[in-house]
Amino acid sequence: MSNTITQRIYCLTKHLYLLKCLTEREIKSRYKGSILGLFWSFLNPVLYMAVLTIIFGFIVKIKIENYPLFILSGLLPWMFLSTSLSQSTNSIIANSSLINKVYLPKELFPFSLVLANLVNFIFSLSFFFILLLLFKLNLKLNVIVLFLPILLFFTTIFCAGICLLFSCLNVFFRDLSHLVGIILTLWFYASPVFYPIDMIPRRYLNLYFVNPMASIIHCYRELLIYGKVPELNYVVIAMLSSVVIFIFGYSIFVKYEDLFAELI
Amino acid sequence: MKENSIVEVKNLWKKYRLQTEPDVTLKKKVINFLSREKNPPPPEVWVLRNINFHVDRGEMLGIIGQNGVGKTTILKLIARIIKPTKGEIEISGTITTLLELGTGFHPELTGRENIFLNGAILGIRKKQLMNVINDIIYFSELEHFIDVPVKFYSSGMYMRLAFSVAAFVDTDIILVDEVLSVGDESFQRKCFRKIHEMKQKGKTIVFVSHNLNAVAELCDRVIWLKSGEIQEVGKPEKVIESYLNSVDSQDKIEIVRSSIRHRWGSKEIEIEDVKLYNGIGEETTTFHTGDSMYIKLKYIAHKKIDDPVFGIAIHRDDGVHIFGTNTKINNFRIDYVNTSGIIECIVNQNLNEGMYLLSVSVYNFDLKHPYDNHNRLYNFKILRSNQPEVHGPVYFPCEWRVIQ
């Protein structure tokens, strides 16, 4: 199974230029005509963070130091996933005119969306670093430089796997795109975006980490806010689940993609 | 695989499901599951049945047939967009599809950005694209608008840009699906020339079209597809003729009318004027059955051309080809033409009452290269002379005798 996937990835390398063009198309068309441009990729989560801070900081009164930044460190990776997923679920159907007329590796469409969102994510991370500096948190740059790229890689793979799965399923179940909103809402609360994982009761902790986003977000937070290398078990869970989801999503996609052109 | 073929299609079958309503929602699946109601499987049709053919390297193959006989399905199968139900397709070369023009354009991006995007979709490498980008822009005649988002383009400009990108694709096999029916007359001519050029560069082209004249002009071989099966393969004129004979007359007029192109050629020699005269030297377009027709072609040669062949053809108004001849057939050799002149053809016609269309042309000696071709640009009328009734398109003077 992973053999066919290696082949597919090798095949994709011939289409890297197209992947780049499609990704550029996403990025350019999203911010064309808006004055703030790429800055939106940061403004969006910041506005969302403000809402969450008001609700959970002032009303529910979760007591955490630097709560806004704490939220933001979870919100940025979360929004990477949620935007990628909600956009790419429809990506096969949205590109039906192309898929029906040219032979292309079809995974390029969800991939290009994930990559476009990755670029956004990296941009917003750099704005986030500026904020961290302003608030004078002790940034451990050497740790970040070492671990952030690895973490980014696995997050991207995870996103890609989920997006492949959903974009493929959506061809067969068209109402899935409506469900995605609900799934994402539930998933948001099941992930440690605005609360720390120590608030989860101990006996449920194993169950809690069935959600791969839990360990991924936790790793980001440890790294960015606390400047710590995340505990090994969380790193392993994050990496393993990313790889498993990627292979699973990709193989489902490859198995059913031949039917796409006839169904869309 | 045969030595010379680049595409080989063997025992190809393709089945489609006829989906009456999209049965593709989760809601429906759940309801069906809960109510334990088994939906009958959707009806299936074989769109292609046992198709066998091959395309030679450097050949231009046309596929004709009425709507819905599976022409586009064949192209999609060759392009690997869909998979065959049975059978196989062997391909030894790279492929592009000249898509329905403009698919893959993004309205918010500029013309230039879209060239890169569309080029990448068609599989042109970046380096290659950098080399030809100026040619593409020049060919599209959109120099002034190239940095404007394509959403501000007119549909004609859109098409021009799309064809121009596609025209610079450099793969071994090019699949063309009815893309030439766009743009104004002059741009269409340009597209034809470009396809001609690709052909001369040794590209293999598979061409699906309803424009029978284009097929006749460009293709080396034609496949006529009828309800999912190959009806006939062979020389363009022959296959097109049997195709036209098979469709009923109302459709035929439509097919002929929609596929008429009026004038083409490289114009080294131009036919400037065509006039018809009767036996007493009067210019007219009305004749009687049996009258001689004097067709005068006034031409101008822009350079010295050796061995030109002038020809005429007569079609009935419903598109039936009645007659055609040329100076070569009639053993009238013209060594060369240099300036201008008039050629006359005297036709001892015996056409029955009706309206007729006249085509005139001048070709090179092996009739491969048109200098100027006026396709059914002139008409004339035939009136009944003294025979009381007419049957069929022509009248033969006949004598009857009692032998026994």
Side-chain angles (χ1 to χ4, degrees), chain A residues 38-160:
Chain A
L38 260 180
F39 192 62
W40 272 116
S41 61
F42 188 58
L43 210 55
N44 244 337
V46 165
L47 293 175
Y48 200 9
M49 173 210 71
V51 174
L52 289 174
T53 311
I54 292 167
I55 296 173
F56 295 104
F58 294 107
I59 301 174
V60 185
K61 297 202 171 65
I62 296 179
K63 286 283 167 249
I64 288 169
E65 216 182 321
N66 290 315
Y67 191 51
L69 289 179
F70 174 91
I71 292 180
L72 209 50
S73 67
L75 200 53
L76 293 183
W78 168 257
M79 286 188 103
F80 174 36
L81 173 83
S82 64
T83 334
S84 307
L85 183 56
S86 56
Q87 286 174 351
S88 58
T89 301
N90 223 9
S91 61
I92 297 295
I93 292 169
N95 286 293
S96 60
S97 58
L98 266 182
I99 290 171
N100 254 316
K101 303 224 161 69
V102 217
Y103 172 76
L104 292 170
K106 301 172 188 69
E107 59 268 37
L108 283 174
F109 300 108
F111 278 177
S112 64
L113 282 163
V114 171
L115 283 182
N117 282 304
L118 176 66
V119 172
N120 269 343
F121 181 35
I122 291 173
F123 259 96
S124 50
L125 275 178
S126 36
F127 286 117
F128 181 63
F129 285 133
I130 298 172
L131 275 191
L132 288 180
L133 288 175
L134 288 179
F135 282 81
K136 300 204 172 57
L137 262 72
N138 55 336
L139 268 178
K140 293 239 173 55
L141 263 182
N142 47 353
V143 182
I144 289 177
V145 168
L146 200 64
F147 282 93
L148 191 58
I150 302 175
L151 200 49
L152 274 179
F153 174 75
F154 282 99
T155 321
T156 311
I157 282 204
F158 177 74
C159 275

Side-chain angles (χ1 to χ4, degrees), chain A residues 17 172-175 258 262, chain B residues 14 24 26-27 83 116:
Chain A
Y17 175 53
F172 301 94
F173 312 107
R174 296 295 165 88
D175 47 356
D258 286 345
E262 288 172 37
Chain B
K14 179 69 192 173
V24 283
L26 208 56
K27 189 183 91 190
K83 292 260 146 72
F116 279 101

Side-chain angles (χ1 to χ4, degrees), chain B residues 346-396:
Chain B
I346 303 157
V347 185
N348 297 313
Q349 54 83 19
N350 258 317
L351 294 165
N352 270 336
E353 185 176 20
M355 290 294 295
Y356 294 87
L357 298 166
L358 173 70
S359 313
V360 297
S361 64
V362 51
Y363 273 72
N364 73 342
F365 193 68
D366 60 11
L367 304 176
K368 289 268 164 60
H369 179 83
Y371 295 120
D372 197 359
N373 194 334
H374 296 201
N375 187 16
R376 291 169 239 184
L377 272 182
Y378 311 96
N379 52 49
F380 58 89
K381 195 157 122 189
I382 299 286
L383 300 175
R384 211 183 294 181
S385 49
N386 44 14
Q387 73 275 45
E389 271 184 83
V390 292
H391 297 285
V394 292
Y395 173 77
F396 303 119

